[in-house]
Amino acid sequence: MSDTPAENVKPSFRSDVTVELVKHTAGDSDVLWAARVSTAGEQSLDELSKDPERSKGLINYLMRDRHGSPFEHNSMTFFISAPIFVFREFMRHRVGWSYNEESGRYRRLEPVFYIPDEERKLVQEGRPGKYVFVEGTRAQQELTGRVMEDAYLHAYEAYHEMLEAGVAREVARAVLPVGLYSSMYATCNARSLMHFLGLRTQHEDATVPSFPQREIEMVGEKMEQHWAKLMPLTYAAFNANGRVAP
């Protein structure tokens, strides 16, 4: 892949994240045939041709009593665009996940940077372990946008200067901030996704409170929307049982 000349690329600023469902083999019936093999053996394959709605009680039982392995026999691959700091939090989730991210060693990174919008709460109040985020003032919002934009532009100019001088990409990228956007493929199964959602989203049905950073929660919410359409019975059981991964 050839680099795009930096002088032809204008820096841009975003406050969103995007999540695309690239491919999947995921449905509620996958939970059922995996669960029924313990008692039905090869006859469990009959679940592939049956309406999973008839067995939603079994799905709820598995979720409630935390029989987790039947929820692993499926796969979802997402293409995600988000700031680098989101991915560094994301990759703390290792069990049941696979990742491939774009590399600053092999391509010139595009100057696309994160600046929070007005809905992003800016001020943290309280001590560690017992704090809340509240709205920032107009002055704080303007300061945040101006300072972040200035820092991003300065960093990217330094990056471009080193590249133009022949410095290797893997060295020059060290000056770039974690607010730079990156992209990756993330593959998981329903069980690993439920664990992610339990930790990285806040929800009224959750029995265990979670305190995620808003930006990774935005990614989680978009992944959840895709998953809810693929496995509606499993999704309903997840919410009905406190959003705790089995």
Side-chain angles (χ1 to χ4, degrees):
M1 178 182 295
S2 61
D3 287 332
T4 301
E7 58 269 18
N8 295 331
V9 179
K10 294 182 179 180
S12 60
F13 306 97
R14 296 171 52 184
S15 59
D16 67 324
V17 300
T18 59
V19 176
E20 177 184 354
L21 180 65
V22 177
K23 65 175 184 176
H24 69 88
T25 55
D28 291 314
S29 61
D30 298 327
V31 180
L32 297 172
W33 54 254
R36 292 194 188 282
V37 70
S38 61
T39 57
E42 66 277 5
Q43 294 179 1
S44 60
L45 290 171
D46 293 342
E47 293 295 338
L48 293 172
S49 59
K50 294 180 180 179
D51 182 2
E53 178 73 26
R54 56 184 280 279
S55 296
K56 64 182 180 180
L58 174 57
I59 292 176
N60 190 70
Y61 160 74
L62 295 169
M63 189 77 69
R64 185 194 68 210
D65 286 14
R66 306 193 72 182
H67 295 288
S69 58
F71 298 99
E72 297 177 2
H73 296 273
N74 56 82
S75 177
M76 293 164 280
T77 298
F78 301 94
F79 183 72
I80 304 168
S81 175
I84 288 175
F85 67 81
V86 170
F87 289 169
R88 297 305 165 261
E89 281 198 331
F90 209 123
M91 291 175 183
R92 295 176 65 85
H93 297 266
R94 298 181 295 276
V95 178
W97 288 88
S98 298
Y99 304 106
N100 281 97
E101 184 182 355
E102 68 176 280
S103 174
R105 296 185 68 193
Y106 303 120
R107 63 170 302 188
R108 184 192 295 264
L109 299 173
E110 299 297 318
V112 182
F113 301 99
Y114 174 76
I115 292 180
D117 61 19
E118 294 182 355
E119 296 182 0
R120 206 318 182 174
K121 296 179 180 179
L122 293 180
V123 180
Q124 178 179 322
E125 294 182 347
R127 56 183 174 81
K130 192 176 182 180
Y131 59 83
V132 295
F133 283 89
V134 298
E135 304 290 340
T137 64
R138 170 61 62 181
Q140 287 171 323
Q141 291 172 349
E142 293 176 352
L143 173 69
T144 299
R146 175 176 56 79
V147 170
M148 292 179 76
E149 184 172 332
D150 289 345
Y152 290 150
L153 292 175
H154 182 73
Y156 199 79
E157 287 172 1
Y159 173 68
H160 179 219
E161 182 179 359
M162 283 191 283
L163 292 181
E164 291 300 302
V167 176
R169 300 183 195 94
E170 65 183 43
V171 177
R173 65 177 174 170
V175 301
L176 293 173
V178 294
L180 182 77
Y181 272 74
S182 186
S183 60
M184 74 171 180
Y185 291 105
T187 299
C188 63
N189 59 56
R191 190 183 192 184
S192 54
L193 180 58
M194 284 186 278
H195 181 260
F196 176 88
L197 295 175
L199 292 173
R200 301 298 184 177
T201 61
Q202 293 183 324
H203 197 281
E204 60 183 5
D205 292 332
T207 56
V208 180
S210 181
F211 306 94
Q213 184 164 341
R214 178 54 190 155
E215 288 77 11
I216 196 170
E217 184 179 35
M218 290 161 59
V219 174
E221 289 170 348
K222 291 182 179 296
M223 297 175 76
E224 182 170 342
Q225 291 171 6
H226 287 295
W227 174 56
K229 295 176 182 178
L230 297 176
M231 305 179 72
L233 301 180
T234 303
Y235 179 65
F238 175 59
N239 286 320
N241 289 278
R243 292 175 66 89
V244 176

